[in-house]
Amino acid sequence: MSVTAAFYLQAQDISVIRNSVDVYSNTPMTGSSKFNAMAGSNGALGGDASSLLTNPAGLGVAIAGDVSVTLSVENNKNTSTLAGNSVNYNISKVNLGNVGGVAAFQLMTETPWKFINLGANMSTTSLENYVESPGNSNVVISKNLVDGSGNNVVGNLSYLGHAYNRYGTQTKFNLGVGANYNNSLYLGASVNMHYVDLQQYDSASFGLDLDKTAYTFNKQYTPFSEKSNGFSATVGVLGKITNQLRLGASIETPTWWSLDRVYTDYYTGTDGYVYQDSFVEDRTFRSPMKATLSGAFVASKNFAINVDYTLGITKPHYKVQGDAEKELNSFFSDTYKNLSEIKVGAEYRIKSFRLRGGYSYTSSPFDNMTVSAFTNSGSTAQTNFSNMILGDRNMIGAGLGYDFGKFYIDAAYQNITSNYKNPFLAGHSDFGTGYYSSDFDVATPNSVVSDVKNVRNNVFVTVGWKF
């Protein structure tokens, strides 16, 4: 695993790993304010369009039509720490986070089938993320250069800072059907369409001792942009064991993604200067299959609590078109841990008022990795890291609402935190995967690894109508 991780960090762009898991294997889970306040825990409760995000059988629980619109305000703060220094950066975005609706059709027949319900749900989330890591003048990389007189000289480049910057949005559209059998068994299925539009940048700054000038370098293959679409399907079942106890289960197929990418390739000309060209490529990616088990206890009409456990069954996989996809698949095979997520949510009703809360924990998707990394003093060592690239994630949700009868309004707040190790800078001169300025390139087999704390504070407001 150590060899695979070290080789990949030199041979490729680390952001491809990050996006494969953080974007393409982690679809939006922004539902209604009720869903968000309960930390997305509703697999055995259902009743509205947000059920399509966890268990489509929950559509069958609805006995009336419902349509809602949710406005989301997302705040994303990253604090990157290196060698005792820290850099903070805040991003706030306002989105139409969720639109959902259920049409309930009561079956006026003598059979045990009570309802056939149709549901649609669209979730959108911002992919914008900016991590700026401070410099460390102890980290020095030597580079053979040619001076103005044509003489060969050795220049020492001190590391001054790094920036990872991603823009874009991700959308998931679900269309499903749920059935109610004798008010005790509920079945459901959905088809899910996925869309991603992102742009990404990776740059580093170095100071050259020969001319006392700071240079900005771009990572090979960046900046790049991707427009991608995918397809998956979900099936689920939900049953009332007793009037108080409900159990549910669902399984979502892998998402089959088609990625269209425009990237920048840098090369050094015969005159010693760096040139760049843009290229287009397409990739096919398969995200992990997921299974969810759910249980709910409905103590009365005023109180209910739900628990969901989601487990990844397979691993990310790229269709092999060349060595890059082989390396990616080898990395995921050796280093990726299957998704594990636990979510708990509860709702308490006081007449027309609603009080809600929830908590979720998602484990880090990667095993520990050993890579060659710069220490704070500037030396290099084989170092073992946990929470590499992406870390454990904790979410706390809270919310309230008021039911006016035909209309309702809900609000929710989420606090999501994670800590992870952020590797960058590694690239290999033989592969041409280092960093490039307009004048020359710089490459090192060693990573700089900063500590990043990510805090997301999200607010949601939902307006709904029941019919």
Side-chain angles (χ1 to χ4, degrees):
M1 283 188 292
S2 300
V3 172
T4 302
F7 174 79
Y8 189 83
L9 292 179
Q10 295 178 34
Q12 295 288 342
D13 176 12
I14 191 67
S15 62
V16 174
I17 296 178
R18 181 179 284 112
N19 290 343
S20 297
V21 177
D22 188 34
V23 177
Y24 295 111
S25 299
N26 184 30
T27 56
M29 293 294 283
T30 303
S32 65
S33 290
K34 175 183 176 181
F35 178 89
N36 299 332
M38 296 172 65
S41 178
N42 76 340
L45 291 175
D48 62 18
S50 293
S51 303
L52 290 165
L53 295 172
T54 306
N55 185 346
L59 290 178
V61 177
I63 58 175
D66 180 283
V67 62
S68 67
V69 176
T70 300
L71 183 71
S72 66
V73 181
E74 303 171 75
N75 177 263
N76 182 7
K77 179 182 179 181
N78 286 305
T79 301
S80 181
T81 302
L82 179 68
N85 298 312
S86 297
V87 177
N88 300 319
Y89 197 86
N90 264 296
I91 301 170
S92 293
K93 303 290 289 186
V94 178
N95 286 316
L96 185 62
N98 180 269
V99 178
V102 177
F105 300 94
Q106 187 172 7
L107 303 179
M108 310 300 288
T109 66
E110 298 298 326
T111 70
W113 294 101
K114 304 299 183 182
F115 284 87
I116 295 292
N117 300 336
L118 300 178
N121 184 83
M122 185 175 71
S123 298
T124 301
T125 188
S126 171
L127 294 175
E128 188 166 348
N129 194 27
Y130 182 79
V131 181
E132 182 178 343
S133 297
N136 180 2
S137 58
N138 292 328
V139 174
V140 177
I141 301 170
S142 297
K143 170 72 176 177
N144 293 322
L145 298 170
V146 178
D147 64 17
S149 302
N151 299 316
N152 293 324
V153 294
V154 175
N156 293 313
L157 294 148
S158 57
Y159 161 67
L160 302 180
H162 176 267
Y164 163 84
N165 199 357
R166 185 178 70 194
Y167 299 92
T169 57
Q170 183 174 13
T171 301
K172 182 178 182 180
F173 177 73
N174 317 88
L175 187 63
V177 59
N180 176 337
Y181 183 84
N182 205 30
N183 294 320
S184 59
L185 178 66
Y186 307 89
L187 304 174
S190 70
V191 291
N192 317 305
M193 282 71 78
H194 308 255
Y195 308 93
V196 164
D197 185 353
L198 67 81
Q199 303 84 42
Q200 190 156 289
Y201 303 81
D202 185 325
S203 60
S205 295
F206 294 91
L208 180 62
D209 63 345
L210 297 178
D211 58 6
K212 308 302 180 183
T213 299
Y215 293 83
T216 298
F217 295 76
N218 289 322
K219 174 71 173 176
Q220 178 69 293
Y221 310 129
T222 67
F224 68 80
S225 63
E226 289 178 350
K227 293 183 182 293
S228 311
N229 60 80
F231 171 84
S232 67
T234 310
V235 294
V237 60
L238 194 162
K240 285 186 179 179
I241 309 304
T242 67
N243 287 334
Q244 288 76 39
L245 180 62
R246 300 179 185 182
L247 298 177
S250 66
I251 187 164
E252 182 175 359
T253 69
T255 300
W256 289 275
W257 285 97
S258 176
L259 287 68
D260 293 316
R261 191 181 195 212
V262 180
Y263 66 93
T264 305
D265 185 86
Y266 302 90
Y267 61 95
T268 303
T270 55
D271 55 4
Y273 288 99
V274 172
Y275 298 89
Q276 65 185 66
D277 287 316
S278 294
F279 294 91
V280 177
E281 68 176 0
D282 61 86
R283 275 178 170 165
T284 300
F285 175 71
R286 186 180 71 230
S287 73
M289 178 184 290
K290 302 174 185 177
T292 299
L293 298 176
S294 307
F297 181 72
V298 183
S300 66
K301 292 183 178 180
N302 296 327
F303 179 74
I305 185 170
N306 184 90
V307 179
D308 294 337
Y309 176 70
T310 300
L311 179 66
I313 301 175
T314 60
K315 295 187 177 186
H317 183 82
Y318 281 90
K319 179 182 178 181
V320 175
Q321 299 175 203
D323 290 340
E325 289 81 17
K326 290 180 182 179
E327 293 165 10
L328 277 164
N329 292 337
S330 177
F331 178 86
F332 288 130
S333 176
D334 291 340
T335 311
Y336 180 83
K337 295 188 300 185
N338 287 349
L339 169 77
S340 180
E341 183 177 24
I342 183 77
K343 298 182 289 187
V344 182
E347 179 183 63
Y348 183 71
R349 300 182 178 183
I350 308 172
K351 295 184 179 180
S352 296
F353 285 98
R354 309 287 188 259
L355 298 176
R356 305 178 181 109
Y359 170 78
S360 77
Y361 169 79
T362 306
S363 63
S364 170
F366 297 111
D367 284 319
N368 291 359
M369 301 182 201
T370 299
V371 299
S372 179
F374 285 103
T375 66
N376 289 342
S377 64
S379 61
T380 59
Q382 292 292 320
T383 309
N384 185 267
F385 296 98
S386 61
N387 285 333
M388 193 74 148
I389 306 172
L390 295 168
D392 299 343
R393 186 181 68 208
N394 292 274
M395 176 199 294
I396 298 174
L400 50 83
Y402 190 87
D403 189 344
F404 295 92
K406 288 291 185 181
F407 295 91
Y408 60 90
I409 183 168
D410 297 315
Y413 166 76
Q414 288 180 343
N415 174 263
I416 308 168
T417 59
S418 65
N419 295 275
Y420 63 92
K421 302 292 185 179
N422 177 39
F424 54 89
L425 220 61
H428 204 288
S429 56
D430 292 344
F431 302 138
T433 54
Y435 284 75
Y436 290 77
S437 71
S438 59
D439 296 300
F440 56 92
D441 67 285
V442 58
T444 173
N446 307 303
S447 294
V448 171
V449 182
S450 64
D451 294 291
V452 177
K453 181 178 182 179
N454 177 250
V455 179
R456 297 174 184 261
N457 290 292
N458 303 326
V459 176
F460 308 92
V461 177
T462 298
V463 177
W465 174 49
K466 293 181 289 185
F467 57 93

